[in-house]
Amino acid sequence: MTLTLGDPARHFFMTRSVARVMGLNLNDAMKTGRLAPETYAGMVTRCRGCALVTACERWLASQTNLTPTPPPGCCNSTILSNLRRRA
């Protein structure tokens, strides 16, 4: 079975948006060495293969304040949560 990946630009911005809602800046995390560029690229790729894109977009649209957790079922939740704990 072949996995179909979503649009790279869309998922790049979705990954950044989820992080931003969690109070994280992924560029800053890379600059300070808390996030390797390869890990960031892997996060976007995982997002591209996620089956919960529509639910994630609805979650993002409903956020009005910072939240400590990513959306339910987020394929990058472990990395994002670890970054938040170390921020």
Side-chain angles (χ1 to χ4, degrees):
M1 183 167 126
T2 303
L3 178 66
T4 303
L5 297 177
D7 176 63
R10 178 183 187 191
H11 293 276
F12 169 79
F13 286 108
M14 285 182 69
T15 301
R16 289 174 59 94
S17 295
V18 169
R20 190 174 305 117
V21 167
M22 291 179 65
L24 297 168
N25 182 312
L26 298 179
N27 286 335
D28 287 349
M30 283 193 301
K31 286 179 188 175
T32 60
R34 292 181 295 124
L35 179 64
E38 300 81 19
T39 302
Y40 191 2
M43 291 171 70
V44 174
T45 301
R46 272 188 297 286
C47 183
R48 290 178 65 204
C50 184
L52 302 175
V53 173
T54 302
C56 184
E57 288 176 331
R58 281 195 302 263
W59 180 87
L60 282 167
S62 72
Q63 300 307 305
T64 56
N65 297 305
L66 292 180
T67 181
T69 58
C74 178
C75 58
N76 289 312
S77 63
T78 300
I79 295 169
L80 291 167
S81 295
N82 286 340
L83 284 169
R84 182 154 163 71
R85 274 192 292 280
R86 291 186 275 145

